Amino acid sequence: MTSIAQRQELQNKIWKIANDVRGSVDGWDFKQFVLGALFYRFISENFTNYIKGGDDSVDYANLSDDVITSEIKDDAIKTKGYFIYPSQLFVNIAKNANTNSNLNTDLAAIFASIENSANGYPSEKDIKGLFADFDTTSTRLGNTVENKNSRLAAVLKGVEELNFGNFEDNQIDLFGDAYEFLISNYAANAGKSGGEFFTPQHVSKLIAQLAMHKQTNVNKIYDPACGSGSLLLQAKKHFDNHIIDEGFFGQEVNHTTYNLARMNMFLHNINYDKFNIVLGDTLRDPQLRDAKPFDAIVSNPPYSINWIGSDDPTLINDDRFAPAGVLAPKSKADFAFVLHALSYLSSRGRAAIVCFPGIFYRGGAEQKIRKYLVDNNFVETVIALAPNLFFGTSIAVNILVLSKHKTENKTQFIDASGEDFFKKVTNNNVLEPKHIEKIMAMFDSKHDVEHVAKTIDNQKIAENDYNLSVSSYVEAKDNREKIDIAELNAEIEKTVAKINTLRADIDKIIDEIDN
């Protein structure tokens, strides 16, 4: 099945599930149940395949729980990070979902059992709370047990109908596509909260390629505001044929999306010992200091949010912010995330960060931070993208590429906001592969392209008050009609002469009538 066909089938199935529970579950809450069911099915099938070990004669789903020995369970948890008994598998629960009067409590017990199976094992922190947002006893599903069960059954049976074979063999990002479809259809309910932690896959692809450009291997990949993990997973796709030595690292402040990120790692067959996703405020409570430095950093941090900033006098001595000599404004934390990423970046690596355009030209503390970045030659490229690339906002964002291994004291600016760099699809714009290839080719060559790309000496940037706006250095193409003034004047003279002749003829006719 092609990627287009798979994506369409996925969307049709999700929409059918939505119709089955419409009116009872708010769209934004409904998202959690669909994604939770997808995850439950995936880890069930993934675990079954692990137990089978390539032996198709092993029918794990039909085994009795009693035949599972403590040794089998112990080995499985050490390898996979969790354990699922045969009776707990998705296929067995979905099979009888419509007739199970205890469906909601059975699911709650199964999810608790899967999470608790990791207790005391190295995977415990990676498994704990994974199903927290799939609350099968929630009143959001209905006020009676019957209502809850009927809606849970509709979700399970809908997910059961998805027929993509092995998850790993899919032509699409099943979880990411489901997530993107749900967000786009429930954007009105979700508001800003829907888009603030999700980076569309086409934008993620560009960011990942920028961060890992010309690296044959990286030690590890990091996203300081990882959301659902979409940026990290695009990095995995980009590096499928290469080596990521120590895995995927991220921190997320929102508990729901923290769980989604961990689910997403498992869904993409990244084992618990190859990722470290942590919960917490990256700016005030960074938890991955011991894991730095990182060869690749990708991030789409929240735009211009409030943070404690100067209200915490100890932060100016923090090794992330101290080198710049100033903290990002309390009402605009953008550069706090930038400086955090720079601090965690290795001497050979790159960071690609989605930024709000205002930080590149405003004065005050932000100008001082730009001065620090430019004077130390950390800014490799600033790329202006087209508007309407993200759900929930029409802002035309920029991508800031940081590097600690530049050889020239110059900064590249790319204006990729024109019609040659996106395709309009319904209400949003999309970066197609050809657009990404075009941007990457310019990023790689650093050659000037009229009206699109320009490389500027850092001294000139300093003379321009450290302004890093793309429009300050890349002259926009003048699409106005060009007018030849001399030719226009000649035409006017001809027209005036014709008018004068016409007036004379009219006057002559009037005189003849009067006489």
Side-chain angles (χ1 to χ4, degrees), residues 66-77 83 85 121:
D66 296 335
V67 305
I68 305 301
T69 65
S70 58
E71 290 80 9
I72 292 174
K73 185 175 181 180
D74 183 65
D75 286 344
I77 299 171
F83 191 86
Y85 283 98
Y121 288 85

Side-chain angles (χ1 to χ4, degrees), residues 170-407:
N170 288 334
Q171 296 298 312
I172 62 172
D173 174 358
L174 183 68
F175 201 55
D177 274 49
Y179 193 23
E180 186 169 339
F181 177 71
L182 286 162
I183 285 177
S184 63
N185 278 278
Y186 294 113
N189 290 337
K192 184 186 174 190
S193 65
E196 69 182 9
F197 50 75
F198 181 74
T199 308
Q201 294 175 49
H202 52 97
V203 182
S204 298
K205 184 176 180 180
L206 172 61
I207 295 169
Q209 290 190 28
L210 288 166
M212 298 190 292
H213 183 60
K214 286 189 173 177
Q215 295 201 69
T216 55
N217 73 293
V218 296
N219 63 349
K220 43 200 166 185
I221 298 165
Y222 172 57
D223 185 343
C226 68
S228 64
S230 59
L231 277 169
L232 290 172
L233 292 167
Q234 279 296 336
K236 176 184 183 292
K237 286 187 175 184
H238 189 61
F239 256 57
D240 269 346
N241 298 319
H242 302 299
I243 300 171
I244 301 174
D245 296 328
E246 299 172 50
F248 304 80
F249 294 72
Q251 183 161 343
E252 173 55 36
V253 69
N254 180 292
H255 193 276
T256 296
T257 40
Y258 158 69
N259 282 336
L260 287 175
R262 293 189 296 157
M263 286 183 183
N264 227 346
M265 294 297 121
F266 283 109
L267 274 164
H268 286 79
N269 227 19
I270 300 172
N271 214 35
Y272 75 91
D273 57 347
K274 278 295 185 180
F275 73 83
N276 189 3
I277 308 294
V278 296
L279 178 66
D281 186 330
T282 298
L283 300 182
R284 296 189 65 180
D285 183 26
Q287 297 182 33
L288 294 171
R289 289 182 186 269
D290 293 340
K292 67 177 185 179
F294 297 90
D295 288 343
I297 297 178
V298 291
S299 193
N300 178 17
Y303 309 145
S304 299
I305 61 167
N306 295 325
W307 77 303
I308 191 168
S310 57
D311 284 348
D312 181 353
T314 65
L315 282 176
I316 195 60
N317 297 317
D318 189 301
D319 58 5
R320 297 170 296 167
F321 312 123
V326 65
L327 296 173
K330 289 189 293 182
S331 61
K332 302 175 182 69
D334 308 72
F335 266 129
F337 283 104
V338 170
L339 291 174
H340 171 92
L342 181 66
S343 172
Y344 279 48
L345 187 63
S346 73
S347 59
R348 56 167 282 190
R350 280 192 181 91
I353 308 166
V354 179
C355 296
F356 183 77
I359 71 170
F360 294 111
Y361 58 79
R362 292 190 294 238
E366 291 179 317
Q367 183 188 40
K368 293 177 181 177
I369 294 173
R370 293 197 304 271
K371 180 180 187 302
Y372 163 70
L373 295 175
V374 173
D375 286 351
N376 287 277
N377 203 29
F378 290 138
V379 182
E380 181 170 1
T381 303
V382 182
I383 304 170
L385 296 180
N388 286 315
L389 290 173
F390 293 81
F391 296 117
T393 179
S394 61
I395 296 171
V397 300
N398 291 177
I399 297 179
L400 173 65
V401 183
L402 301 174
S403 171
K404 292 182 177 178
H405 60 270
K406 289 171 62 183
T407 56

Side-chain angles (χ1 to χ4, degrees), residues 405-448:
H405 60 270
K406 289 171 62 183
T407 56
E408 291 186 309
N409 285 309
K410 295 180 179 181
T411 300
Q412 182 189 38
F413 297 89
I414 298 176
D415 183 355
S417 63
E419 293 183 357
D420 292 340
F421 292 95
F422 68 88
K423 178 182 179 181
K424 185 170 180 58
V425 179
T426 61
N427 296 325
N428 283 90
N429 294 326
V430 173
L431 296 174
E432 294 185 320
K434 64 180 181 181
H435 302 133
I436 295 173
E437 290 173 10
K438 189 183 297 185
I439 294 171
M440 290 305 302
M442 288 185 290
F443 176 74
D444 177 59
S445 71
K446 298 295 189 289
H447 292 159
D448 289 351

Side-chain angles (χ1 to χ4, degrees), residues 5-16:
Q6 283 189 348
R7 187 171 289 110
Q8 189 60 54
E9 180 179 340
L10 173 69
Q11 294 177 357
N12 291 342
K13 294 292 186 184
I14 291 175
W15 199 243
K16 180 180 181 298

Side-chain angles (χ1 to χ4, degrees), residues 49-64:
N49 289 337
Y50 161 75
I51 293 293
K52 290 170 66 173
D55 184 355
D56 291 334
S57 67
V58 177
D59 188 2
Y60 185 65
N62 286 315
L63 291 179
S64 167

